[in-house]
Amino acid sequence: MTFILTEKPSVAKAFAHALAVPFTGSYYENSRYLITNCLGHLFQAFDPEDYEVHYKKWNLSDLPIIPHTIRFKKIEASKKQANLVVSLLQTHQSDTIIIATDAGREGELIARIVLSEAGITDTKNIFRFWTSSALTPPVITEALKKVKPLSDYNDIARQGYARQKADWLVGINISRLLSIHAKTLLSVGRVQTAVLAEIFRREKEIADFIPTPYYEYVAEIASSEAIFTAKAYTKNEDASITTAFQNDCFTPDRFSKKPVVVQEIKQEQKKEVPPLLFNLSALQRAAFASLSLSPDQTLAIAQTLYEKYQCLSYPRAPSRVMGSADVPLIKDVFERMSAVYPEYTDAVDTALLEDRNARLFNDAQLEDHHALIPLQAIPDTASKSEKAVFSLVVKQFFASFSHLFVYEMQTLFLMIDGVPFIARGRKTLEIGWKSLFSKEGESSDETSVPDKGEENTFDDIDTTHLLCKEVRTEKKKTQSKKPYRYDSLLQFMEKPKENGKYSASLGTEATRAAIIQTLLDRAYIHEEKKNLHLLEKGIFLIQQLEKFPLLSPLISARETAEWEYALKTDSKTFLEKIEAFVSNVCKEQISIAVFEKQKIGTCPLCGGAVVEMEKAFSCNQYPVTGCRFTIWKKTYGTLLSASDAALLLNGKSVRKKNCKSKAGKVFSCILSLVNGTINLSFDTSKERKIRR
């Protein structure tokens, strides 16, 4: 008997299909194989009070809390499956066992914890199935022939344990330390706090920014065929061109009715390759840009497309490529989807569907899971938002296998009354893959899409007879960087840049949305008009951490990335350094200010102050009078910010576009506060009151 353990039910089903093993009601079994699955993690780390009861109360004298080894307990929601898997492993521990959890550090950790909880320490008969290609029957059967001893993956397992223990040590100890001093809950995490600090830095940079005025001189130039514009320019020391002048240099009237001399016409053909396939972060960025969906909402929809409709591949994909073994799968998907979406195939280059397309079939860049791809048409019963997200994936899929976008950049170097001017134009030669994104408001992830209005060609202009009609002076100011939004923050987390240098990514495809959501749930940040802004508690936390150099690794993306590098190179030394860091911080004499909540508004029931809590905006008189007035932050599937609560308390209404019903339908509505109760209305004429 061969026992196969997978990470997810869908993978167990794929193995059963490939090996023709029937389902028995709880798992798959025949005379040769028994196949069962975890549900992701089946066990979670002990809480401090699970080690010692007195740890339930937070005391400085107990810090640091550093268990010799992290122990685990069953996750309540998956307790039944945990019992089944452990029981089956114990029964079949003498058989050949094949671990087929996800090919990555977290998948390895999931398997090792389960084996440990089943009491299995001898791994001589345990082997590792490892592939990141799509789990088609040929891939499964071929990879089963190449399984390796589990011991070959011991280093990855050690990394997994070290990562988990490090996160536990930092989260438990530093959160307790700061919270006790500040007299409020301050959640700290190895990655989440570095992300929060980056938002803090961006907001400070914007606040400190002093706009610098500059001038541009725009000429309106006429030929017998057309009118076009050009800008005065100068050359920088590096020979680059700038059209911005620090001082008001010219009197516009001097150029009026003057002849325009063409000094040079430069034409350059350029090409843009098709975009890569989506990974989860890329899909989340695109869904926010075009559909205004948060990363958490996009992930939830992608999970539904994967689990319920089975029209999308595994959503928590880190890769933007496929494996070389996936060529047959891609060809099959292409044929199937082309029949459903023929309008997306006009620009397809079928040569890109072959394995010689190393840009998309790239084993070297393939991580735990291959890129997101559609598998079949989405059913008509799907919601509007589900169809919209799926459409993004479908278009990206066809675009990835389409012809190049080819265009010609045209540049005219002009002279008007002794002053150099430049005019630029662009002519599309072959629209290629960008034809799929040519409609207004559509985009392909971070790749720019030409607007028809940007087409500006000089082909039909007689450049020998040009006249300057007029020059206008445009006074402008330099702009600060923009506040972070979901898409730009995800992009930062994928490729952090600090002090001009890039470092390793923060979080993973599976955790980035949850990290951002944690910052929202902890009332550290809020979303307002698509921008992410710090709240009072988020500012307080970073300001306190900035006081102490010893705590600087927690607010540095670079140092957090260096921790990740150290984890991969020497997990034992990494963990020793984390333990030393936690111990030193807890022993340090630090002075953290007491956090005092700012008043959001006046309680409509008792007149007390409404302040921000972890999950709600509540009356601060509850301990005194028992007033239970509350505005829950998560209301009708949307999140209310402090500014939203302030508006409601001032008798104003708040419009929310991303509310969600119990059935998962997204809708727009107007919220108001009447007699201490949230009112929900869809227009001014029809209102219904729902008590929460």
Side-chain angles (χ1 to χ4, degrees):
M1 174 72 74
T2 297
F3 182 101
I4 300 175
L5 177 65
T6 72
E7 187 168 325
K8 296 177 284 290
S10 60
V11 178
K13 186 176 181 180
F15 269 82
H17 174 65
L19 302 173
V21 183
F23 189 58
T24 64
S26 298
Y27 46 86
Y28 302 88
E29 186 179 25
N30 63 13
S31 58
R32 293 187 59 192
Y33 297 101
L34 188 153
I35 305 169
T36 192
N37 59 270
C38 302
L39 297 171
H41 278 281
L42 295 175
F43 296 86
Q44 65 185 31
F46 267 21
D47 294 316
E49 55 266 31
D50 294 323
Y51 294 100
E52 298 285 348
V53 175
H54 72 273
Y55 284 152
K56 190 165 187 176
K57 187 174 181 180
W58 293 19
N59 292 307
L60 286 175
S61 58
D62 288 330
L63 302 180
I65 303 171
I66 303 180
H68 179 65
T69 57
I70 295 292
R71 294 172 62 188
F72 299 92
K73 59 185 179 182
K74 294 165 187 169
I75 297 172
E76 195 61 36
S78 53
K79 196 170 186 178
K80 182 178 178 181
Q81 189 67 14
N83 289 335
L84 174 67
V85 172
V86 167
S87 174
L88 289 172
L89 277 169
Q90 290 171 338
T91 301
H92 294 274
Q93 59 183 305
S94 298
D95 293 332
T96 297
I97 297 174
I98 295 177
I99 299 300
T101 47
D102 291 352
R105 190 171 69 197
E106 207 61 24
E108 193 66 24
L109 179 63
I110 287 171
R112 297 300 180 111
I113 293 173
V114 171
L115 288 171
S116 176
E117 293 300 311
I120 298 175
T121 55
D122 185 354
T123 64
K124 285 184 288 189
N125 61 318
I126 305 179
F127 300 86
R128 191 61 161 98
F129 175 98
W130 191 278
T131 182
S132 296
S133 295
L135 292 175
T136 59
V139 168
I140 289 173
T141 53
E142 190 61 30
L144 280 171
K145 298 174 185 176
K146 301 175 182 178
V147 294
K148 296 179 180 179
L150 186 67
S151 57
D152 286 7
Y153 299 86
N154 284 348
D155 190 53
I156 294 176
R158 282 190 286 268
Q159 290 178 31
Y161 277 114
R163 191 279 308 158
Q164 187 176 59
K165 186 173 184 180
D167 286 350
W168 192 95
L169 292 174
V170 171
I172 293 296
N173 287 285
I174 310 302
S175 295
R176 289 190 175 209
L177 176 72
L178 298 182
S179 298
I180 293 168
H181 280 290
K183 300 189 185 307
T184 189
L185 177 62
L186 292 176
S187 170
V188 175
R190 190 173 59 93
V191 176
Q192 75 176 50
T193 307
V195 174
L196 180 65
E198 175 60 25
I199 302 173
F200 179 89
R201 272 189 286 271
R202 174 63 61 87
E203 287 210 347
K204 189 174 187 304
E205 189 176 354
I206 293 170
D208 294 344
F209 180 80
I210 300 174
T212 303
Y214 68 94
Y215 299 85
E216 286 190 340
Y217 301 92
V218 183
E220 193 172 278
I221 299 172
S223 72
S224 56
E225 297 86 6
I227 294 176
F228 63 94
T229 59
K231 291 183 178 181
Y233 74 90
T234 58
K235 285 191 175 181
N236 300 313
E237 292 182 0
D238 61 357
S240 62
I241 285 174
T242 179
T243 60
F245 292 80
Q246 291 185 347
N247 301 305
D248 192 357
C249 305
F250 307 116
T251 303
D253 291 347
R254 67 177 276 192
F255 302 105
S256 182
K257 310 304 180 185
K258 295 289 178 69
V260 179
V261 178
V262 179
Q263 294 190 313
E264 183 185 357
I265 300 176
K266 187 176 180 181
Q267 295 177 320
E268 183 181 6
Q269 189 179 108
K270 295 192 174 185
K271 300 176 180 180
E272 286 188 23
V273 297
L276 294 170
L277 296 162
F278 279 144
N279 61 7
L280 177 59
S281 288
L283 174 62
Q284 288 168 323
R285 291 198 300 270
F288 175 75
S290 59
L291 305 173
S292 298
L293 293 173
S294 72
D296 212 42
Q297 289 172 320
T298 300
L299 176 56
I301 290 172
Q303 282 290 143
T304 299
L305 298 177
Y306 167 66
E307 295 174 359
K308 182 177 178 180
Y309 303 132
Q310 299 179 3
C311 60
L312 182 69
S313 60
Y314 180 67
R316 298 172 189 262
S319 309
R320 300 197 66 170
V321 298
M322 305 296 291
S324 56
D326 296 327
V327 173
L329 170 67
I330 290 296
K331 287 184 175 180
D332 179 58
V333 169
F334 175 78
E335 291 298 326
R336 193 182 315 127
M337 301 305 291
S338 296
V340 183
Y341 303 95
E343 68 272 22
Y344 296 160
T345 63
D346 292 344
V348 165
D349 180 1
T350 54
L352 297 177
L353 297 168
E354 303 296 335
D355 56 5
R356 60 177 176 270
N357 177 8
R359 188 166 172 271
L360 283 178
F361 298 106
N362 189 329
D363 291 336
Q365 292 186 11
L366 190 63
E367 298 180 58
D368 299 12
H369 297 279
H370 65 71
L372 281 166
I373 59 171
L375 299 176
Q376 61 184 1
I378 190 169
D380 291 336
T381 54
S383 70
K384 183 178 179 181
S385 58
E386 289 166 349
K387 290 177 180 176
V389 170
F390 185 67
S391 178
L392 292 176
V393 178
V394 172
K395 286 186 180 183
Q396 191 82 359
F397 174 80
F398 282 107
S400 299
F401 295 99
S402 291
H403 286 284
L404 299 170
F405 168 60
V406 185
Y407 63 99
E408 183 180 80
M409 286 296 298
Q410 300 176 335
T411 309
L412 299 186
F413 294 92
L414 313 169
M415 188 68 71
I416 309 174
D417 195 30
V419 176
F421 281 73
I422 187 170
R424 292 187 175 96
R426 182 174 68 183
K427 180 174 68 174
T428 296
L429 302 178
E430 184 179 348
I431 187 69
W433 64 269
K434 290 199 176 186
S435 63
L436 277 78
F437 306 99
S438 58
K439 293 181 181 179
E440 184 179 352
E442 290 188 335
S443 66
S444 169
D445 192 18
E446 63 276 350
T447 309
S448 62
V449 177
D451 188 315
K452 291 182 180 178
E454 294 180 6
E455 293 289 322
N456 181 19
T457 177
F458 305 119
D459 288 355
D460 299 326
I461 293 177
D462 180 3
T463 56
T464 60
H465 297 90
L466 299 176
L467 183 71
C468 178
K469 293 183 67 179
E470 64 172 357
V471 170
R472 64 180 182 273
T473 303
E474 295 184 351
K475 187 176 180 180
K476 299 183 177 181
K477 291 182 178 180
T478 54
Q479 300 291 315
S480 68
K481 290 181 179 179
K482 302 295 183 186
Y484 274 114
R485 311 192 319 168
Y486 286 126
D487 49 359
S488 54
L489 186 59
L490 283 169
Q491 199 160 26
F492 169 79
M493 292 172 74
E494 274 196 299
K495 199 172 184 181
K497 191 175 185 180
E498 189 172 286
N499 299 325
K501 294 182 179 180
Y502 287 105
S503 58
S505 59
L506 297 173
T508 67
E509 298 300 318
T511 62
R512 288 187 191 115
I515 289 168
I516 297 173
Q517 191 59 49
T518 296
L519 296 177
L520 289 162
D521 293 343
R522 297 293 189 198
Y524 289 153
I525 63 172
H526 72 115
E527 182 193 8
E528 185 175 353
K529 295 181 180 178
K530 288 194 171 185
N531 294 325
L532 296 173
H533 295 290
L534 284 164
L535 288 169
E536 185 184 14
K537 187 181 279 190
I539 296 170
F540 175 83
L541 174 59
I542 300 303
Q543 286 177 337
Q544 300 309 308
L545 291 173
E546 283 184 332
K547 293 179 181 179
F548 305 100
L550 196 60
L551 293 167
S552 63
L554 295 173
I555 55 175
S556 168
R558 179 183 56 79
E559 292 199 51
T560 302
E562 287 180 0
W563 277 359
E564 182 66 23
Y565 176 76
L567 169 61
K568 291 179 179 178
T569 53
D570 187 345
S571 58
K572 183 175 182 292
T573 302
F574 159 79
L575 197 52
E576 289 172 351
K577 288 182 177 179
I578 291 291
E579 290 180 357
F581 166 75
V582 168
S583 294
N584 291 336
V585 168
C586 290
K587 292 172 184 175
E588 182 81 2
Q589 292 296 318
I590 64 173
S591 177
I592 300 292
V594 174
F595 177 69
E596 295 183 4
K597 292 178 169 58
Q598 184 177 354
K599 181 180 176 180
I600 302 293
T602 301
C603 174
L605 301 184
C606 75
V610 175
V611 296
E612 187 169 1
M613 309 297 282
E614 182 182 347
K615 296 183 179 180
F617 304 98
S618 304
C619 179
N620 69 351
Q621 292 301 300
Y622 171 72
V624 181
T625 67
C627 179
R628 293 181 174 273
F629 173 77
T630 298
I631 298 174
W632 294 103
K633 289 183 179 179
K634 187 168 278 190
T635 300
Y636 304 113
T638 191
L639 285 172
L640 297 181
S641 66
S643 56
D644 291 332
L647 287 171
L648 292 170
L649 290 165
N650 284 326
K652 297 179 181 179
S653 59
V654 173
R655 181 179 292 277
K656 287 290 180 178
K657 296 181 179 180
N658 58 346
C659 293
K660 187 183 289 186
S661 69
K662 291 181 179 179
K665 301 282 185 180
V666 176
F667 62 93
S668 175
C669 71
I670 299 170
L671 301 176
S672 58
L673 194 64
V674 179
N675 297 325
T677 302
I678 291 287
N679 269 19
L680 176 84
S681 63
F682 298 95
D683 55 49
T684 55
S685 61
K686 185 172 71 173
E687 186 178 84
R688 62 191 179 95
K689 193 175 184 181
I690 301 180
R691 293 187 176 272
R692 296 189 66 78

